[in-house]
Amino acid sequence: MKKLAGVLLSILVIYVIFYDLNHGTLPAGQKQALEASSLPTETGEPYFEKKVNPGETVLSIIELNLDGPIPVAIDQVVSDFSELNNGMQPEDIKSGTTYKFPKYTQDN
């Protein structure tokens, strides 16, 4: 019985490695197109809209838009994101949904 379990486990591990090498689990190497909008909100804050993909976070999306580190404090990013999205918290975002993200410049 132990040999059968070992063989089945080995087959499962080999399949998982094969699938990961052929299909991958992360969208590495694919540049995501950002739908940019420089329209300011009611508060005058510029933003861009983007559909969230699996594995993305608010910080990673803003860093991708900036092509570098975020020039403001994380608390400010959370506050700005919540303000743009009617009080929604960044940890509550869902993949497949489009949200407004604050647009920062490197000289903020």
Side-chain angles (χ1 to χ4, degrees):
M1 187 69 177
K2 288 182 183 180
K3 286 185 181 183
L4 178 61
V7 168
L8 291 175
L9 183 63
S10 298
I11 291 172
L12 177 66
V13 169
I14 291 170
Y15 174 75
V16 168
I17 292 171
F18 173 79
Y19 182 85
D20 191 40
L21 290 175
N22 285 328
H23 301 286
T25 54
L26 297 175
Q30 298 175 346
K31 278 287 187 180
Q32 301 290 330
L34 295 176
E35 298 172 20
S37 172
S38 59
L39 299 174
T41 62
E42 302 80 38
T43 61
E45 189 82 29
Y47 68 91
F48 64 96
E49 293 183 351
K50 182 177 181 323
K51 183 177 179 181
V52 177
N53 294 317
E56 290 183 321
T57 65
V58 171
L59 294 177
S60 68
I61 291 169
I62 293 173
E63 285 177 342
L64 180 65
N65 180 260
L66 282 171
D67 210 16
I70 300 173
V72 297
I74 293 175
D75 293 339
Q76 182 67 41
V77 173
V78 170
S79 172
D80 292 344
F81 177 82
S82 293
E83 186 176 317
L84 287 169
N85 294 286
N86 301 322
M88 173 159 231
Q89 294 300 309
E91 57 269 11
D92 296 332
I93 64 172
K94 294 180 178 26
S95 64
T97 305
T98 301
Y99 296 101
K100 295 177 183 175
F101 295 91
K103 186 173 183 81
Y104 300 111
T105 57
Q106 292 294 345
D107 58 323
N108 271 4

